[in-house]
């Protein structure tokens, strides 16, 4: 939406009267900022006196550390840690967290060391402060790399102790409230970082009040003109829609009074940012966004929630498809409520949210409600458990803990900080779908998740061996997106393994990191095995056997250490991987190893030398024979220019860092590579026992007409082959069409049978194998 079209839309709304309805309020305004320790202490009445004394000591330490430092607005720097501690006090965090909030910048900005904090305040508080400290003192190549590693440290520390992220969110919230004195470029950068990382984390942990304020502040800083224009439009709309709000609220209160149900009815107003997001999502103008105002009903018990829903549906007609039960199936962050949209007497849609008081606390405070209920010890004590305050807070804690644990799982699979941050961003989803296992267990997944995401959510072993999926009893493609209510069944096979193409279809960070980790490990293991085979064969040509890898064999270990020192590798495995990937030539390494073995008195064996020479072909550079059976994975690739299949004469080219690439002996591309780089060629043969089928290209010239593709597909199927891909020229239809088929066959004899079967089809004029691309 352009600025001009937005202005044209908002100006008419800005002409309405200035009446303000007291019935509808936006989020409660931020509590007064704490600027002195005395003001902070007045909010810490829930702490024991001994803890309050420790907090005072932490304040004195922080005040001394920040002495002479000032913020960009000219205030003493200590006012910032005090304000952050005040925000933490609203969540009733414990004394260690309040102390860490007061000292959160001492390591980063004041030269204080972690051992010093451990000595004065204990290891637990020092760990919290250290978890909040950036890694600016380390050397990074780019700002992005430094930022990614700092986020990684903070998120992993958060997974171990969630108080760290609560303090960090309080820190970021206060910074966002007080950024007016900063340079515009820095304001924009911090606002964008907050919008991308911190606001979604707050939402993911159920801190909805903090999330909404961060989003609103980011929108105001990133799009100031749009925020100002929409604010004026909403202010005018309050007066314009006052009659609707008053009438609906009176009708609701009267209906609940008739049913003798205790209820707290409050109007609520969408934030400016959420209104703007709705306008963009629906490509609609401000006047078309009807649910700017809504109502929240808080009732005593869980059972009353459903009774209240019945009262509302009797009062007004519900809008079909707009009811959501987040009590039975909570959101991923623990949020519980009933949502329904009703048609008001004036024909406008009005959203209602129904929840208990404890659910409301969790909805606003999320995981922080755990501390609120821990301190107050309150809970309604009525209903059937789910409505209990402590139970709702515990549910929020449990949901958040599951996500935090997933961060540790991703960390295990990911070594790169930027990749780790990418996986975390993927999991900071604002919306979810709820699907069922065949045993009726509910799983929450991000919108857009596929059957592969579901498989990895069950267990990583299920994901690794997935071959097919069923949704609601029907077979579907693995890339099929899941919808709420789907019953998903995963079919596995012992020999199956992840497909690199899955990376383009998965939505969760867990699935993405598991697949990448597996593929990296498999590539390394396959290359290591390939390199060991090549080096052994090359050394056999020298009449020697490869030294064993047994750690207890001191002489062999000494040889490997000497060889890896010469090659520049860290260990034996890394050297073999380099040979398998073509980064080092096996015959050169073998000759060096033979020289080292000769220096130690190890002489060539006549039988081994004879076997090595027997396998050589005088016309081919000697690195030994490699047998291809189809199980090699990424270490051996079949060239797509000639697509060799069993029965073809083949040769192998050891690419630099690409593994072994197999060409047919007649392939023009292969011949050009041989002329340019002959020392990298090696003898390759098909194994007697093959483990899979192989792909090759076929051209088919057919008469144009109805059912042509069906007849061609039937011919291929009759010959027990599979069509992997089909293509044709994008030209106007003529009497004949040339089809390009990529088919899967066992060997050349099987291919010949496929070609014979196709020639018998009446619509086929000519068919041949396409040999060279």
């Amino acid at each position: 939406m352009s600025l001009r079209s937005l202005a044209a839309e908002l100006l008419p709304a800005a002409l309405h009267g200035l009446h303000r309805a007291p019935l509808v309020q936006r989020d409660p305004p931020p509590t007064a900022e704490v600027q002195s320790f005395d003001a902070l202490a007045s909010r810490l009445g829930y702490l024991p006196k001994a803890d309050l004394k420790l907090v005072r000591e932490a304040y004195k330490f922080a005040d001394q550390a920040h002495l002479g430092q000032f913020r960009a607005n000219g205030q003493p720097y200590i006012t910032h840690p005090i304000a952050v501690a005040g925000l933490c006090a609203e969540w009733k965090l414990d004394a260690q967290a309040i102390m860490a909030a007061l000292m959160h910048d001492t390591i980063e900005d004041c030269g204080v060391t972690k051992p010093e904090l451990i000595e004065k305040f204990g290891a637990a508080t020092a760990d919290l402060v250290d978890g909040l400290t950036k890694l600016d003192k380390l050397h990074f190549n780019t700002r992005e790399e430094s930022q990614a590693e700092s986020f990684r440290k903070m998120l992993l520390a958060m997974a171990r102790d969630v108080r760290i992220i609560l303090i960090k969110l309080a820190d970021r919230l206060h910074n966002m409230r007080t950024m007016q004195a900063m340079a515009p470029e820095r304001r924009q950068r911090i606002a964008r970082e907050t919008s991308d990382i911190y606001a979604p984390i707050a939402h993911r942990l159920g801190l909805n009040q903090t999330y909404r304020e961060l989003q609103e502040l980011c929108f105001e800083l990133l799009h100031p003109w749009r925020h100002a224009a929409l604010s004026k439009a909403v202010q005018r709309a309050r007066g314009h829609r006052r009659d609707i709000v008053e009438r609906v609220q009176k009708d609701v209160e009267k209906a609940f009074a008739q049913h003798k149900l205790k209820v707290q009815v409050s109007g609520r107003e969408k934030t400016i940012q959420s209104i703007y997001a709705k306008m963009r999502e629906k490509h609609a103008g401000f006047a078309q966004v009807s649910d700017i105002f809504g109502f929240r009903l808080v009732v005593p018990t869980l059972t009353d929630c459903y009774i209240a829903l019945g009262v509302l549906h009797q009062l007004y007609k519900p809008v079909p498809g707009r009811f959501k039960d987040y009590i039975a199936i909570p959101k991923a962050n623990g949020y519980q409520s009933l949502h329904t949209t009703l048609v008001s007497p004036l024909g406008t849609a009005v959203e209602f949210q129904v929840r208990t008081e404890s659910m409301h606390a969790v909805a606003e405070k999320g995981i922080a409600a755990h501390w609120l209920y821990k301190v107050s010890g309150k809970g309604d004590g009525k209903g059937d458990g789910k409505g209990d305050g402590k139970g709702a807070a515990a549910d929020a804690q449990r949901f958040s803990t599951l996500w935090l644990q997933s961060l540790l799982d991703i960390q295990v699979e990911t070594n790169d900080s930027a990749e780790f941050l990418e996986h975390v961003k993927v999991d900071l989803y604002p919306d979810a779908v709820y699907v069922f296992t065949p045993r009726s267990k509910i799983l929450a997944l991000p919108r857009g998740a596929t059957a592969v995401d579901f498989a990895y959510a069950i267990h990583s072993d299920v994901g690794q061996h997935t071959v097919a999926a069923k949704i609601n009893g029907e077979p579907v493609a693995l890339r099929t997106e899941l919808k709420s209510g789907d019953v998903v069944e995963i079919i596995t096979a012992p020999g199956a393994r992840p497909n690199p193409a899955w990376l383009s279809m998965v939505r969760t960070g867990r699935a993405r990191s598991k697949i990448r980790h597996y593929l990296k490990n498999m590539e390394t293991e396959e290359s290591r095995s390939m390199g060991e085979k090549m080096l052994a064969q090359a050394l056999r040509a020298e009449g020697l056997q490869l030294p064993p890898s047994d750690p207890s064999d001191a002489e062999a270990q000494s040889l490997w250490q000497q060889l890896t020192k010469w090659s520049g590798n860290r260990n034996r495995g890394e050297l073999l991987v380099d040979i398998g990937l073509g980064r080092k030539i096996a015959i050169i390494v073998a000759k060096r190893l033979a020289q080292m073995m000769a220096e130690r008195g190890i002489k060539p064996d006549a039988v081994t030398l004879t076997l090595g020479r027997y396998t050589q072909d005088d016309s081919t550079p000697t690195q030994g024979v490699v047998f291809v059976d189809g199980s090699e994975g990424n270490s051996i690739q079949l060239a797509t220019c000639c697509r060799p299949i069993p029965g073809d004469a083949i040769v192998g080219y050891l690419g630099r860092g690409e593994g072994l690439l197999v060409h047919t002996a007649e392939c023009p591309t292969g011949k050009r590579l041989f002329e340019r780089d002959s020392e990298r060629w090696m003898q390759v043969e098909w194994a007697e026992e093959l483990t899979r089928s192989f792909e090759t290209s076929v051209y088919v010239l057919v008469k144009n007409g109805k059912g042509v593709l069906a007849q061609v597909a039937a011919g291929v199927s009759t010959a027990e082959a599979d069509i992997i891909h089909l293509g044709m020229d994008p030209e106007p239809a003529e009497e004949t069409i040339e089809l390009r088929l990529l088919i899967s066959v066992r060997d050349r004899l099987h291919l010949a049978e496929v070609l014979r079967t196709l020639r018998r089809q009446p619509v086929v004029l000519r068919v041949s194998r396409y040999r060279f691309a």
Side-chain angles (χ1 to χ4, degrees), residues 303-324:
T303 304
D304 290 338
C305 290
Y306 293 94
I307 297 174
L309 182 70
V311 173
L312 289 174
H313 284 195
Q314 289 176 27
L315 180 62
Y316 299 134
K317 294 291 183 184
V319 177
R322 296 289 296 274
F323 168 68
K324 294 177 182 176

PDB file of all heavy atoms in Angstrom, residues 303-324:
ATOM      1  N   THR A 303     -15.876 -23.983  33.143  1.00  0.00           N
ATOM      2  CA  THR A 303     -17.212 -24.365  32.673  1.00  0.00           C
ATOM      3  C   THR A 303     -18.023 -23.138  32.270  1.00  0.00           C
ATOM      4  O   THR A 303     -18.767 -23.157  31.283  1.00  0.00           O
ATOM      5  CB  THR A 303     -17.960 -25.145  33.774  1.00  0.00           C
ATOM      6  OG1 THR A 303     -17.164 -26.268  34.170  1.00  0.00           O
ATOM      7  CG2 THR A 303     -19.309 -25.641  33.283  1.00  0.00           C
ATOM      8  N   ASP A 304     -17.843 -22.037  33.025  1.00  0.00           N
ATOM      9  CA  ASP A 304     -18.563 -20.800  32.711  1.00  0.00           C
ATOM     10  C   ASP A 304     -18.177 -20.252  31.340  1.00  0.00           C
ATOM     11  O   ASP A 304     -18.962 -19.526  30.712  1.00  0.00           O
ATOM     12  CB  ASP A 304     -18.293 -19.740  33.782  1.00  0.00           C
ATOM     13  CG  ASP A 304     -18.948 -20.083  35.114  1.00  0.00           C
ATOM     14  OD1 ASP A 304     -19.907 -20.874  35.088  1.00  0.00           O
ATOM     15  OD2 ASP A 304     -18.499 -19.573  36.157  1.00  0.00           O
ATOM     16  N   CYS A 305     -16.966 -20.565  30.871  1.00  0.00           N
ATOM     17  CA  CYS A 305     -16.544 -20.087  29.540  1.00  0.00           C
ATOM     18  C   CYS A 305     -17.493 -20.606  28.462  1.00  0.00           C
ATOM     19  O   CYS A 305     -17.928 -19.859  27.569  1.00  0.00           O
ATOM     20  CB  CYS A 305     -15.113 -20.554  29.234  1.00  0.00           C
ATOM     21  SG  CYS A 305     -13.826 -19.770  30.214  1.00  0.00           S
ATOM     22  N   TYR A 306     -17.818 -21.901  28.540  1.00  0.00           N
ATOM     23  CA  TYR A 306     -18.686 -22.494  27.523  1.00  0.00           C
ATOM     24  C   TYR A 306     -20.144 -22.081  27.699  1.00  0.00           C
ATOM     25  O   TYR A 306     -20.883 -21.941  26.717  1.00  0.00           O
ATOM     26  CB  TYR A 306     -18.532 -24.022  27.547  1.00  0.00           C
ATOM     27  CG  TYR A 306     -17.152 -24.461  27.085  1.00  0.00           C
ATOM     28  CD1 TYR A 306     -16.132 -24.698  27.994  1.00  0.00           C
ATOM     29  CD2 TYR A 306     -16.864 -24.595  25.728  1.00  0.00           C
ATOM     30  CE1 TYR A 306     -14.873 -25.073  27.578  1.00  0.00           C
ATOM     31  CE2 TYR A 306     -15.597 -24.974  25.301  1.00  0.00           C
ATOM     32  CZ  TYR A 306     -14.599 -25.214  26.235  1.00  0.00           C
ATOM     33  OH  TYR A 306     -13.352 -25.582  25.813  1.00  0.00           O
ATOM     34  N   ILE A 307     -20.546 -21.874  28.958  1.00  0.00           N
ATOM     35  CA  ILE A 307     -21.906 -21.351  29.180  1.00  0.00           C
ATOM     36  C   ILE A 307     -22.011 -19.940  28.609  1.00  0.00           C
ATOM     37  O   ILE A 307     -23.004 -19.584  27.950  1.00  0.00           O
ATOM     38  CB  ILE A 307     -22.240 -21.360  30.691  1.00  0.00           C
ATOM     39  CG1 ILE A 307     -22.244 -22.801  31.222  1.00  0.00           C
ATOM     40  CG2 ILE A 307     -23.579 -20.673  30.948  1.00  0.00           C
ATOM     41  CD1 ILE A 307     -22.427 -22.903  32.732  1.00  0.00           C
ATOM     42  N   ALA A 308     -20.963 -19.123  28.846  1.00  0.00           N
ATOM     43  CA  ALA A 308     -20.951 -17.754  28.313  1.00  0.00           C
ATOM     44  C   ALA A 308     -21.004 -17.766  26.786  1.00  0.00           C
ATOM     45  O   ALA A 308     -21.664 -16.920  26.166  1.00  0.00           O
ATOM     46  CB  ALA A 308     -19.690 -17.025  28.795  1.00  0.00           C
ATOM     47  N   LEU A 309     -20.329 -18.724  26.173  1.00  0.00           N
ATOM     48  CA  LEU A 309     -20.357 -18.829  24.711  1.00  0.00           C
ATOM     49  C   LEU A 309     -21.786 -19.094  24.230  1.00  0.00           C
ATOM     50  O   LEU A 309     -22.241 -18.493  23.244  1.00  0.00           O
ATOM     51  CB  LEU A 309     -19.421 -19.960  24.259  1.00  0.00           C
ATOM     52  CG  LEU A 309     -19.314 -20.167  22.749  1.00  0.00           C
ATOM     53  CD1 LEU A 309     -18.574 -19.012  22.094  1.00  0.00           C
ATOM     54  CD2 LEU A 309     -18.596 -21.485  22.441  1.00  0.00           C
ATOM     55  N   GLY A 310     -22.495 -19.974  24.934  1.00  0.00           N
ATOM     56  CA  GLY A 310     -23.885 -20.241  24.559  1.00  0.00           C
ATOM     57  C   GLY A 310     -24.764 -19.013  24.692  1.00  0.00           C
ATOM     58  O   GLY A 310     -25.632 -18.754  23.840  1.00  0.00           O
ATOM     59  N   VAL A 311     -24.557 -18.231  25.758  1.00  0.00           N
ATOM     60  CA  VAL A 311     -25.338 -16.992  25.949  1.00  0.00           C
ATOM     61  C   VAL A 311     -25.081 -16.022  24.800  1.00  0.00           C
ATOM     62  O   VAL A 311     -26.017 -15.408  24.260  1.00  0.00           O
ATOM     63  CB  VAL A 311     -24.979 -16.345  27.302  1.00  0.00           C
ATOM     64  CG1 VAL A 311     -25.642 -14.972  27.431  1.00  0.00           C
ATOM     65  CG2 VAL A 311     -25.400 -17.246  28.458  1.00  0.00           C
ATOM     66  N   LEU A 312     -23.821 -15.867  24.416  1.00  0.00           N
ATOM     67  CA  LEU A 312     -23.476 -14.955  23.322  1.00  0.00           C
ATOM     68  C   LEU A 312     -24.110 -15.396  22.006  1.00  0.00           C
ATOM     69  O   LEU A 312     -24.630 -14.580  21.244  1.00  0.00           O
ATOM     70  CB  LEU A 312     -21.959 -14.870  23.169  1.00  0.00           C
ATOM     71  CG  LEU A 312     -21.186 -14.138  24.263  1.00  0.00           C
ATOM     72  CD1 LEU A 312     -19.685 -14.275  24.050  1.00  0.00           C
ATOM     73  CD2 LEU A 312     -21.568 -12.651  24.289  1.00  0.00           C
ATOM     74  N   HIS A 313     -24.084 -16.702  21.725  1.00  0.00           N
ATOM     75  CA  HIS A 313     -24.635 -17.200  20.458  1.00  0.00           C
ATOM     76  C   HIS A 313     -26.164 -17.114  20.429  1.00  0.00           C
ATOM     77  O   HIS A 313     -26.754 -17.101  19.343  1.00  0.00           O
ATOM     78  CB  HIS A 313     -24.169 -18.637  20.216  1.00  0.00           C
ATOM     79  CG  HIS A 313     -22.741 -18.721  19.760  1.00  0.00           C
ATOM     80  ND1 HIS A 313     -22.196 -19.842  19.207  1.00  0.00           N
ATOM     81  CD2 HIS A 313     -21.747 -17.802  19.761  1.00  0.00           C
ATOM     82  CE1 HIS A 313     -20.923 -19.620  18.896  1.00  0.00           C
ATOM     83  NE2 HIS A 313     -20.628 -18.385  19.229  1.00  0.00           N
ATOM     84  N   GLN A 314     -26.787 -17.091  21.609  1.00  0.00           N
ATOM     85  CA  GLN A 314     -28.225 -16.861  21.639  1.00  0.00           C
ATOM     86  C   GLN A 314     -28.550 -15.383  21.440  1.00  0.00           C
ATOM     87  O   GLN A 314     -29.596 -15.026  20.897  1.00  0.00           O
ATOM     88  CB  GLN A 314     -28.798 -17.331  22.982  1.00  0.00           C
ATOM     89  CG  GLN A 314     -28.816 -18.847  23.154  1.00  0.00           C
ATOM     90  CD  GLN A 314     -29.299 -19.257  24.532  1.00  0.00           C
ATOM     91  OE1 GLN A 314     -30.059 -18.528  25.170  1.00  0.00           O
ATOM     92  NE2 GLN A 314     -28.855 -20.414  25.001  1.00  0.00           N
ATOM     93  N   LEU A 315     -27.617 -14.523  21.889  1.00  0.00           N
ATOM     94  CA  LEU A 315     -27.844 -13.074  21.802  1.00  0.00           C
ATOM     95  C   LEU A 315     -27.686 -12.570  20.368  1.00  0.00           C
ATOM     96  O   LEU A 315     -28.551 -11.846  19.855  1.00  0.00           O
ATOM     97  CB  LEU A 315     -26.849 -12.358  22.722  1.00  0.00           C
ATOM     98  CG  LEU A 315     -26.925 -10.837  22.771  1.00  0.00           C
ATOM     99  CD1 LEU A 315     -28.280 -10.376  23.309  1.00  0.00           C
ATOM    100  CD2 LEU A 315     -25.790 -10.284  23.632  1.00  0.00           C
ATOM    101  N   TYR A 316     -26.578 -12.949  19.705  1.00  0.00           N
ATOM    102  CA  TYR A 316     -26.314 -12.519  18.333  1.00  0.00           C
ATOM    103  C   TYR A 316     -25.962 -13.735  17.480  1.00  0.00           C
ATOM    104  O   TYR A 316     -25.499 -14.764  17.976  1.00  0.00           O
ATOM    105  CB  TYR A 316     -25.130 -11.530  18.277  1.00  0.00           C
ATOM    106  CG  TYR A 316     -25.314 -10.250  19.037  1.00  0.00           C
ATOM    107  CD1 TYR A 316     -24.298  -9.763  19.852  1.00  0.00           C
ATOM    108  CD2 TYR A 316     -26.492  -9.519  18.937  1.00  0.00           C
ATOM    109  CE1 TYR A 316     -24.435  -8.580  20.551  1.00  0.00           C
ATOM    110  CE2 TYR A 316     -26.649  -8.321  19.645  1.00  0.00           C
ATOM    111  CZ  TYR A 316     -25.625  -7.857  20.446  1.00  0.00           C
ATOM    112  OH  TYR A 316     -25.780  -6.686  21.133  1.00  0.00           O
ATOM    113  N   LYS A 317     -26.133 -13.595  16.172  1.00  0.00           N
ATOM    114  CA  LYS A 317     -25.809 -14.681  15.244  1.00  0.00           C
ATOM    115  C   LYS A 317     -24.290 -14.791  15.074  1.00  0.00           C
ATOM    116  O   LYS A 317     -23.623 -13.794  14.795  1.00  0.00           O
ATOM    117  CB  LYS A 317     -26.446 -14.431  13.881  1.00  0.00           C
ATOM    118  CG  LYS A 317     -27.964 -14.462  13.877  1.00  0.00           C
ATOM    119  CD  LYS A 317     -28.482 -15.877  14.126  1.00  0.00           C
ATOM    120  CE  LYS A 317     -30.016 -15.923  14.038  1.00  0.00           C
ATOM    121  NZ  LYS A 317     -30.520 -17.274  14.386  1.00  0.00           N
ATOM    122  N   PRO A 318     -23.734 -16.001  15.208  1.00  0.00           N
ATOM    123  CA  PRO A 318     -22.289 -16.154  14.983  1.00  0.00           C
ATOM    124  C   PRO A 318     -21.951 -16.156  13.499  1.00  0.00           C
ATOM    125  O   PRO A 318     -22.762 -16.588  12.669  1.00  0.00           O
ATOM    126  CB  PRO A 318     -21.980 -17.519  15.616  1.00  0.00           C
ATOM    127  CG  PRO A 318     -23.267 -18.272  15.556  1.00  0.00           C
ATOM    128  CD  PRO A 318     -24.369 -17.233  15.671  1.00  0.00           C
ATOM    129  N   VAL A 319     -20.752 -15.663  13.174  1.00  0.00           N
ATOM    130  CA  VAL A 319     -20.254 -15.702  11.801  1.00  0.00           C
ATOM    131  C   VAL A 319     -19.666 -17.094  11.560  1.00  0.00           C
ATOM    132  O   VAL A 319     -18.762 -17.517  12.284  1.00  0.00           O
ATOM    133  CB  VAL A 319     -19.177 -14.624  11.561  1.00  0.00           C
ATOM    134  CG1 VAL A 319     -18.619 -14.718  10.147  1.00  0.00           C
ATOM    135  CG2 VAL A 319     -19.750 -13.236  11.836  1.00  0.00           C
ATOM    136  N   PRO A 320     -20.142 -17.847  10.559  1.00  0.00           N
ATOM    137  CA  PRO A 320     -19.646 -19.216  10.329  1.00  0.00           C
ATOM    138  C   PRO A 320     -18.132 -19.236  10.087  1.00  0.00           C
ATOM    139  O   PRO A 320     -17.578 -18.372   9.421  1.00  0.00           O
ATOM    140  CB  PRO A 320     -20.401 -19.662   9.060  1.00  0.00           C
ATOM    141  CG  PRO A 320     -21.632 -18.806   9.041  1.00  0.00           C
ATOM    142  CD  PRO A 320     -21.218 -17.482   9.621  1.00  0.00           C
ATOM    143  N   GLY A 321     -17.480 -20.230  10.686  1.00  0.00           N
ATOM    144  CA  GLY A 321     -16.047 -20.403  10.465  1.00  0.00           C
ATOM    145  C   GLY A 321     -15.165 -19.495  11.284  1.00  0.00           C
ATOM    146  O   GLY A 321     -13.937 -19.510  11.130  1.00  0.00           O
ATOM    147  N   ARG A 322     -15.741 -18.692  12.192  1.00  0.00           N
ATOM    148  CA  ARG A 322     -14.944 -17.739  12.970  1.00  0.00           C
ATOM    149  C   ARG A 322     -14.891 -18.110  14.449  1.00  0.00           C
ATOM    150  O   ARG A 322     -14.583 -17.270  15.283  1.00  0.00           O
ATOM    151  CB  ARG A 322     -15.515 -16.324  12.817  1.00  0.00           C
ATOM    152  CG  ARG A 322     -15.463 -15.759  11.413  1.00  0.00           C
ATOM    153  CD  ARG A 322     -14.040 -15.416  10.987  1.00  0.00           C
ATOM    154  NE  ARG A 322     -13.479 -14.366  11.800  1.00  0.00           N
ATOM    155  CZ  ARG A 322     -13.643 -13.058  11.561  1.00  0.00           C
ATOM    156  NH1 ARG A 322     -14.360 -12.668  10.529  1.00  0.00           N
ATOM    157  NH2 ARG A 322     -13.072 -12.167  12.351  1.00  0.00           N
ATOM    158  N   PHE A 323     -15.190 -19.369  14.786  1.00  0.00           N
ATOM    159  CA  PHE A 323     -15.097 -19.818  16.177  1.00  0.00           C
ATOM    160  C   PHE A 323     -13.831 -20.645  16.359  1.00  0.00           C
ATOM    161  O   PHE A 323     -13.525 -21.524  15.552  1.00  0.00           O
ATOM    162  CB  PHE A 323     -16.319 -20.658  16.558  1.00  0.00           C
ATOM    163  CG  PHE A 323     -16.150 -21.390  17.870  1.00  0.00           C
ATOM    164  CD1 PHE A 323     -16.096 -20.684  19.059  1.00  0.00           C
ATOM    165  CD2 PHE A 323     -16.013 -22.769  17.908  1.00  0.00           C
ATOM    166  CE1 PHE A 323     -15.920 -21.344  20.265  1.00  0.00           C
ATOM    167  CE2 PHE A 323     -15.838 -23.436  19.101  1.00  0.00           C
ATOM    168  CZ  PHE A 323     -15.801 -22.728  20.296  1.00  0.00           C
ATOM    169  N   LYS A 324     -13.066 -20.336  17.422  1.00  0.00           N
ATOM    170  CA  LYS A 324     -11.845 -21.077  17.721  1.00  0.00           C
ATOM    171  C   LYS A 324     -11.802 -21.404  19.208  1.00  0.00           C
ATOM    172  O   LYS A 324     -11.988 -20.515  20.045  1.00  0.00           O
ATOM    173  CB  LYS A 324     -10.603 -20.265  17.327  1.00  0.00           C
ATOM    174  CG  LYS A 324     -10.482 -20.041  15.826  1.00  0.00           C
ATOM    175  CD  LYS A 324      -9.290 -19.177  15.494  1.00  0.00           C
ATOM    176  CE  LYS A 324      -9.209 -18.920  13.988  1.00  0.00           C
ATOM    177  NZ  LYS A 324      -8.097 -18.001  13.642  1.00  0.00           N
TER     178      LYS A 324
END
